[in-house]
Amino acid sequence: MAAAFQNKSHGSQQTTAASVEMKIRDATEADLPAIIEIHNTAIASRISTAQLEPVTVEGQREWFHAHSPTQYPIWVAELEGAIAGWLSFREFLPRCAYQGTVELSVYVSEKFRRCGVGKRLLQEAIARGPQLGMHSLVGLIFGHNEPSIALFHLAGFECWGLLPGVARVDESPRNLTIFGRHL
Ligand SMILES: CC(C)(COP(=O)(O)OP(=O)(O)OC[C@H]1O[C@@H](n2cnc3c(N)ncnc32)[C@H](O)[C@@H]1OP(=O)(O)O)[C@@H](O)C(=O)NCCC(=O)NCCS
């Protein structure tokens, strides 16, 4: 699962139009510290996730082992020898009629944002979802998470729902949007 892409910028390092190889692969437990670091940066941003407290490697081991390469995998995007981002799948709703509909989350290191990593991970999910028994993908995204909403739109997701004010983030009411795409 490798793809060449145009690397536009890595933070302060401008590597305009450099062609860099990105590899998408199943995450291993050794990737957990990098996954957690990326996750914690997103938690601190207050726009990305309803998880509001930082997570730890030890605390996330059970979450990690609840995924497998054939059911609800976790993938990492590897770039320049670093974990640039990750994508995880999880059950959408427990009733069997929803089995082929899967929720996904995507997180990219701040160092590698706007390099096409998130787009590439979503493309991989769309391409490989049917082989994993998925017919529909759903992303639950805060209404104020503009980067994520722009990314999901770009990947062909549509807004299927809005749950107004269902979240409280630092006392402020926040909307939850449901973005979906059939495969
Ligand atoms: C949302 C997120 C995953 C995007 O990842 P990324 O690798 O930076 O996105 P890409 O480089 O693939 O961007 C693809 C397109 O998405 C849109 N996009 C991405 N980030 C954007 C931003 N900050 N503002 C506006 N549009 C944005 C753009 O259309 C972009 O294309 P362009 O760069 O050619 O204009 C990343 O910002 C992130 O990890 N955020 C924190 C975690 C999060 O919110 N996850 C969503 C919960 S599921």
Side-chain angles (χ1 to χ4, degrees), residues 8 42 47-48 104-109 112-120 140-141 145-148 150-152 154:
K8 291 187 293 192
I47 69 163
S48 303
L104 85 178
S105 302
V106 59
Y107 290 84
V108 173
S109 160
F112 291 101
R113 296 228 176 127
R114 300 306 284 267
C115 293
V117 177
K119 182 175 157 191
R120 185 74 184 80
L140 303 182
I141 305 172
N145 188 346
E146 289 174 18
S148 197
L151 171 67
F152 275 69
L154 187 84

Side-chain angles (χ1 to χ4, degrees), residues 19-150:
S19 183
V20 180
E21 190 77 8
M22 178 164 30
K23 186 179 171 197
I24 311 258
R25 61 165 174 80
D26 288 312
T28 69
E29 201 164 352
D31 300 318
L32 206 42
I35 288 170
I36 298 307
E37 192 182 332
I38 293 169
H39 197 181
N40 279 335
T41 308
I43 290 169
S45 77
R46 291 303 201 244
I47 69 163
S48 303
T49 168
Q51 168 72 37
L52 300 176
E53 298 301 326
V55 292
T56 63
V57 171
E58 278 317 309
Q60 290 301 95
R61 279 197 207 281
E62 193 180 330
W63 165 82
F64 181 83
H65 289 295
H67 297 74
S68 84
T70 52
Q71 191 173 32
Y72 305 129
I74 301 172
W75 295 335
V76 290
E78 218 178 52
L79 207 51
E80 299 173 344
I83 303 301
W86 56 272
L87 181 147
S88 66
F89 296 95
R90 74 170 184 187
E91 184 180 68
F92 169 60
L93 284 171
R95 302 275 187 213
C96 58
Y98 296 114
Q99 213 168 8
T101 297
V102 176
E103 187 193 333
L104 85 178
S105 302
V106 59
Y107 290 84
V108 173
S109 160
E110 287 189 338
K111 191 175 160 211
F112 291 101
R113 296 228 176 127
R114 300 306 284 267
C115 293
V117 177
K119 182 175 157 191
R120 185 74 184 80
L121 282 163
L122 286 188
Q123 285 172 339
E124 197 75 32
I126 292 160
R128 294 190 57 214
Q131 298 160 34
L132 293 162
M134 304 170 190
H135 58 68
S136 305
L137 296 176
V138 165
L140 303 182
I141 305 172
F142 279 148
H144 61 298
N145 188 346
E146 289 174 18
S148 197
I149 288 173

